[in-house]
Structures are given as structure tokens and as C-alpha cells.
Amino acid sequence: MKCRLAMPSYTHAIHAKRVLISSGCSASVERIQNMNSGGCGFEIQTDCPCERAVEICRENNILPERIIQGDAT
Amino acid sequence: MTVNFDNAASTFPKPLSVRKAVAHALCSCGGSAGRGGHTLAMRTSDAMFSARETAAEFFGAQPENTIFTSNCTHALNTAILGILKNGDHAVISSMEHNSSARPAAALAKKGIISCSVAKTADTPSETAANFISAVRPETKAIIMTAASNVTGQIMPFREVAAFAAEKNICFILDAAQAAGVIPLRLGGGISIICMPGHKGLYAAPGTGLLITDAKHIIDPLMYGGTGSRSNELSQPDYLPDRLESGTGNIAGALSVQAGIKFVSQLGIDKIYDHETDLCRIFLNQLKNNSNVIIYRNENYSYVPLVAFNIKGKTSEETADILDKKGFCLRAGLHCAPMAHKTIGTGENGAVRFSPSVFSRESEVYALCREIKKIAE
């Protein structure tokens, strides 16, 4: 898994999963992150680089909370 | 025999697909959407998003900006009370339902806002002009029904919305009688669309939608758990969480999805044509009866419903006689006293005939025969 993105809510997480998959990335929604870190606990795991994944999300007006793992540059 | 001609209140019967969707939700979606990562919760979250996505696509919105509510009144209250702030001015029409008029009036009564009522005139262009002339520099929102729930009269909402966009005024459309009957999408100045699920979208009662372009910030009507930012006391500032607190109605949301698919597959134009044909039969059967008063203005277009009265009878008496013959029609003021005052039925109200896609010609002819007997 190249990238893990914390999402603001399950709605955004599932939406992100849909747009990432339709853009050719594999993606799944997991709820394993610590709730104390903010967000909703839902994260996106994708095999696309974070930079690309974040770009795809932003193009679809989905704003990830933060990058948990991976490189955005 | 019981025939529902009160579909403007709630469509019945419901399509099989809607009934199956509710059953599926109650049988399979055991978790709470957005709460928990276990199998049942994730299944429900996926289903809820899918329903949101279907509604968003149908009304030209982002899924995140598609808010599930408990009915159209809930959606309108959320929009009106969430947008208007101290010192703002709002414009509503004289055909509004209490679901719009009461929250606006409540804010005005508390001295928070001022509110103008734009008179519904003899022609759509005059009505639009009345709205435009009511606008002031401090006007924050225009709230307008797409079609009157009393007469079915379609208001010139597209013209007024285009004007609102030029002035950066939030245009809130009450689509209670229009959603699923005439094509509606965000854009063209329409900032927010509020609607029930259980009328023209054929969903379960107790469902509604607030669709927004998110250009105007809506403060929550209700605060609470959203499954997100749970470590903070403040409500999340993003949609849909900002406006959806507490466990969502998954059975209702899936019924809305099934209802929208039903309308889409059948075709909104076909539904409109069928119901309008039934109204035409109704009008042709009764228009020459001197004891039947029909409330229509030929300068306007109409969604498929007809308001009428029989001379010498109160609206309630007429509806009661028809009910005993197996026909369910709504009488009275229809929660829209301003609209009744506008058409001159503020005292007696009117009887409303409103068919659905499941209504049949033979049922309309049978109804008209009974109305003619009462009118003799």
C-alpha cells in the first residue's frame, strides 16, 4: 500500500474510494486509525502515490484530512 | 375500493422496488452509517453513500452536498433557519406552504430578520417582477415554492433564481410538489433545493432531501454525533456531517434511492404526461358544470393537481362524501393559508385532486361521476 489518507467522514471516504477506483487506482476504506488524531477514523488505502491520490480527491472536491502514510511530494 | 387521489400529500401505493429497498435495509443494513468499522457498519455506510450518490446525480449536486432529512419541512427549516442571520431580509411568495412561511415568520417575529411577501400576480412575469421589486440591499435569501401545493400553479422560479444569482442572494427552492414531476437541478441561480422523499419521488414517508451547491453556509438546526471529529465539541464544518447529526434513516435513504431510480427509469416526462392527462380528463369532465369551481389561471403552467370546490358545500363536506364513496382527497387549507387567501378560498379552503403514476383513467371518470352527483 503506497498511501493512506485520513478522511473527514465516511461519506468522503467512500466517495474517495469510488473516484480513485474509477481513476485506475486500487482503493479500500478502512477504519483503523486512532480517533484521537481527528477525522472520523475512516481512511483510504490506495496503491497510487499519495500525490496522485490527493490530486484525484481534490479534483472531485474531496479534501483528505491528512496523509497517514506515503509521500505527497 | 379505496382510491388515493391525495398523492400531493404522499404518494400511495409505493413502487415494489421501494418496498423491497426498505425491506432490504431492515434485513441487511444492521449497522449505523459512519459509526464503526465492522462489517455491518461498513455495509450500511456503503449503502447510505450509494443512496446519496443517486440523489446527488439526479439533482446535479455533489454527494457530500446532498443531505438526508426527515421531510421537506425539516429541509426547509434547516435552510431558512441556517442561512438567515440577524439583520437579514428574506422574500417569500404569497403561495408558500407553512413549512417555509412559518420559519421565516418566526425569525421575523423575534426581530432577527425582516421578511417581505411577494404577491403572486395574474401572470408569471408580473409575479417575477414582484419578487425582484421586493429585494433590498440586505436581502439574504429568496424562498419560493416551485409549484403551489394548493393549486399546482408553477411559479416563475427559474426567472427569479437567475435574478438572485446576479445579486448573490441565496435562492431556496421548495420542491415539495415538483421533485419527481418536473426536471429540477441545481444551477441557474438555484442554490438550495428542499423536497420530501415520499411525494413525487415515491419514497417512504418521513424522508426528505436538502440539496445545496454549498455556496451559502448553512448553520446546523441540530447538533450531535456525526461519527466524525468526535474528539471535538464543535460540529464539523463540512457537509454532510455539518447538517446530519444522529444515526441516519437507512431504510428511508434506500427508499429515496429506489424511488429516484423508479422515476428515472420510467421517465419524468412520461410521469408528468400521464398525470397531466388525468388532470385534463378531470377538468374536461367538470369545467362546464356551473356548480363546480376550478381554481386555475390559464396564464400559468401546472403540476398535475387540481383544486376545486362545489357550490353550497364546504371543502370538508365534499371530501367527506367522496371518502364514503372510496375516493381519498384532501380538503381544507393544505397548510398553506396564504395560498388560499391568494386564490380567494381563505375561509372554506378547497378540495385537491392529485393523481400519481399509478392512477387510472377509469378511476378519474368514476370520481367525476361522484362529484357531478354532489354538484346536482
Side-chain angles (χ1 to χ4, degrees):
Chain A
M1 200 53 58
K2 287 183 181 170
C3 176
R4 291 171 59 200
L5 301 173
M7 303 304 292
S9 77
Y10 82 95
T11 307
H12 295 77
I14 296 170
H15 193 189
K17 180 181 130 181
R18 301 273 172 98
V19 297
L20 285 167
I21 289 172
S22 67
S23 301
C25 304
S26 77
S28 63
V29 176
E30 304 293 340
R31 194 173 196 257
I32 54 176
Q33 54 167 309
N34 187 339
M35 288 291 288
N36 289 332
S37 62
C40 59
F42 288 102
E43 66 179 58
I44 279 286
Q45 297 186 355
T46 176
D47 65 353
C48 274
C50 273
E51 187 177 20
R52 174 79 183 123
V54 170
E55 187 188 339
I56 291 166
C57 286
R58 285 189 177 151
E59 281 169 2
N60 288 278
N61 299 312
I62 305 160
L63 302 177
E65 288 273 337
R66 63 192 172 84
I67 295 168
I68 301 167
Q69 179 187 311
D71 193 352
T73 60
Chain B
M1 176 196 74
T2 303
V3 180
N4 182 26
F5 280 131
D6 189 19
N7 292 282
S10 197
T11 46
F12 184 85
K14 301 297 182 189
L16 180 60
S17 58
V18 169
R19 287 178 271 154
K20 280 185 173 175
V22 172
H24 167 72
L26 296 179
C27 293
S28 304
C29 298
S32 184
R35 280 82 166 165
H38 57 78
T39 301
L40 286 173
M42 290 305 294
R43 189 186 295 161
T44 305
S45 299
D46 256 322
M48 189 67 123
F49 181 81
S50 177
R52 206 183 294 280
E53 201 173 31
T54 300
E57 197 174 312
F58 194 70
F59 292 104
Q62 284 285 318
E64 289 80 5
N65 299 340
T66 301
I67 316 300
F68 285 109
T69 63
S70 55
N71 46 49
C72 189
T73 299
H74 180 195
L76 283 162
N77 271 260
T78 301
I80 293 166
L81 301 177
I83 293 273
L84 293 167
K85 300 288 179 300
N86 200 24
D88 288 338
H89 172 249
V91 184
I92 64 174
S93 83
S94 62
M95 294 302 273
E96 296 310 306
H97 188 278
N98 279 342
S99 54
S100 296
R102 281 183 173 169
L107 289 175
K109 196 175 177 185
K110 288 176 187 169
I112 295 169
I113 66 161
S114 54
C115 183
S116 302
V117 179
K119 194 179 165 197
T120 304
D122 195 43
T123 64
S125 58
E126 287 174 87
T127 298
N130 288 344
F131 267 91
I132 289 165
S133 63
V135 165
R136 303 176 192 164
E138 69 272 25
T139 302
K140 180 79 170 289
I142 293 174
I143 304 130
M144 193 171 186
T145 187
S148 164
N149 72 306
V150 173
T151 63
Q153 182 173 336
I154 297 176
M155 300 291 278
F157 65 91
R158 296 190 199 282
E159 294 86 328
V160 179
F163 170 80
E166 285 173 21
K167 303 289 180 188
N168 197 29
I169 294 168
C170 179
F171 185 90
I172 301 168
L173 185 69
D174 172 3
Q177 300 301 332
V181 180
I182 57 175
L184 289 176
R185 290 176 75 80
L186 285 178
I190 300 172
S191 316
I192 296 170
I193 309 176
C194 299
M195 72 199 78
H198 60 95
K199 295 185 182 181
L201 299 180
Y202 291 87
T207 56
L209 288 167
L210 185 161
I211 310 278
T212 172
D213 61 10
K215 287 178 184 163
H216 300 269
I217 294 170
I218 307 171
D219 280 346
L221 189 65
M222 206 164 68
Y223 294 79
T226 58
S228 52
R229 301 223 173 140
S230 299
N231 57 330
E232 297 175 11
L233 276 179
S234 55
Q235 191 82 357
D237 58 2
Y238 44 81
L239 296 173
D241 301 42
R242 183 178 174 82
L243 301 179
E244 283 187 4
S245 288
T247 293
N249 176 1
I250 183 63
L254 294 196
S255 79
V256 169
Q257 179 179 38
I260 289 174
K261 285 182 176 175
F262 169 79
V263 168
S264 299
Q265 283 161 9
L266 206 56
I268 205 163
D269 293 341
K270 274 191 179 171
I271 294 172
Y272 178 86
D273 289 347
H274 171 70
E275 295 177 8
T276 298
D277 283 346
L278 297 180
C279 286
R280 197 171 292 123
I281 290 169
F282 183 88
L283 290 167
N284 286 339
Q285 286 291 306
L286 299 172
K287 68 182 178 188
N288 294 325
N289 190 316
S290 58
N291 287 327
V292 177
I293 308 161
I294 305 279
Y295 301 97
R296 284 223 161 182
N297 175 342
E298 62 185 18
N299 295 324
Y300 283 83
S301 298
Y302 284 80
V303 294
L305 64 90
V306 181
F308 71 98
N309 268 317
I310 295 175
K311 285 180 187 171
K313 299 275 181 205
T314 67
S315 62
E316 298 288 0
E317 284 171 339
T318 301
D320 187 51
I321 295 168
L322 292 172
D323 185 38
K324 288 183 171 63
K325 299 291 180 184
F327 298 102
C328 301
L329 286 83
R330 171 103 174 261
L333 295 179
H334 310 93
C335 302
M338 291 197 303
H340 276 284
K341 200 174 169 190
T342 301
I343 64 168
T345 53
E347 293 296 320
N348 179 35
V351 189
R352 184 178 65 187
F353 162 73
S354 55
S356 85
V357 73
F358 295 113
S359 304
R360 290 177 290 197
E361 285 187 10
S362 58
E363 294 168 338
V364 179
Y365 281 114
L367 170 69
C368 290
R369 281 196 294 275
E370 294 301 331
I371 292 173
K372 285 175 185 171
K373 283 182 199 169
I374 302 168
E376 277 173 1

